[in-house]
Amino acid sequence: MPHSYVNLLYHIVFSTRDRQPHLTIERRPRLYEYIGGVIRKRGGISLAINGMDDHVHVLTKLRPDKAISEVIRDLKAGSSGWMHQFFPEVRDFKWQNGYGAFTVSSSLSKKVTDYIRDQDRHHVKLSFRDEFTLLLRKNGIEFDERYLWQ
């Protein structure tokens, strides 16, 4: 086969350090634009970005020559510096150390996009902690609750 055909969709989730509510409704649109720009610079396409005061969800299509861990490192490091530059009042802003990254099939991409866009509605009933552990369980990822929030 002379060509390679790849469709790598990822649902990425990460939170602020200690779930601090730094991602106010006023800051989010500009932060999401920045995150989308980082993804574009890495050759990817952001399909949906949304979140709440303490976490972000991203649905993205990435190139096969980019490691997911490197893209997320660039997203978090770049956006952390950007937050400090444009919102100096949040001097203590940091992202959590880890993240969740889940592969998504094309057939489910609309459902995941809708889920990401409806974050306000989901979090009326569900905390980020419950949402994240539910995502881990749905994706068959084993975890130890003692270390999950460090």
Side-chain angles (χ1 to χ4, degrees):
M1 181 178 298
H3 299 285
S4 299
Y5 302 95
V6 196
N7 188 30
L8 299 174
L9 301 176
Y10 295 96
H11 178 190
I12 302 166
V13 184
F14 51 94
S15 79
T16 59
R17 175 82 46 94
D18 298 323
R19 266 67 54 217
Q20 291 296 310
H22 292 305
L23 309 179
T24 62
I25 199 156
E26 297 82 21
R27 294 179 185 133
R28 285 184 225 158
R30 292 180 61 196
L31 174 64
Y32 300 162
E33 285 178 31
Y34 180 86
I35 289 172
V38 171
I39 291 169
R40 278 190 303 281
K41 284 181 184 172
R42 299 289 261 145
I45 301 168
S46 61
L47 303 171
I49 304 173
N50 199 11
M52 298 299 291
D53 288 349
D54 62 351
H55 70 282
V56 174
H57 290 259
V58 178
L59 179 63
T60 185
K61 183 174 187 169
L62 297 178
R63 296 169 40 111
D65 61 341
K66 303 296 181 195
I68 185 74
S69 59
E70 292 176 8
V71 172
I72 294 171
R73 179 199 62 213
D74 292 349
L75 283 177
K76 289 170 65 176
S79 61
S80 182
W82 181 89
M83 284 287 288
H84 290 127
Q85 180 180 357
F86 287 94
F87 301 105
E89 66 275 15
V90 289
R91 286 183 295 275
D92 60 340
F93 176 82
K94 292 182 182 171
W95 293 114
Q96 72 177 34
N97 288 329
Y99 59 87
F102 314 101
T103 55
V104 176
S105 68
S106 287
S107 62
L108 293 177
S109 65
K110 178 165 180 0
K111 186 175 180 179
V112 174
T113 297
D114 292 344
Y115 178 83
I116 291 172
R117 291 205 173 120
D118 289 339
Q119 282 294 291
D120 289 342
R121 191 173 54 120
H122 297 303
H123 288 289
V124 168
K125 306 178 236 176
L126 193 65
S127 70
F128 173 65
R129 182 184 193 107
D130 292 340
E131 176 189 44
F132 193 71
T133 56
L134 183 63
L135 284 168
L136 292 173
R137 287 186 179 103
K138 280 185 173 183
N139 284 277
I141 298 173
E142 293 183 24
F143 61 95
D144 187 331
E145 189 91 32
R146 294 176 298 174
Y147 306 112
L148 195 57
W149 305 110
Q150 294 183 358

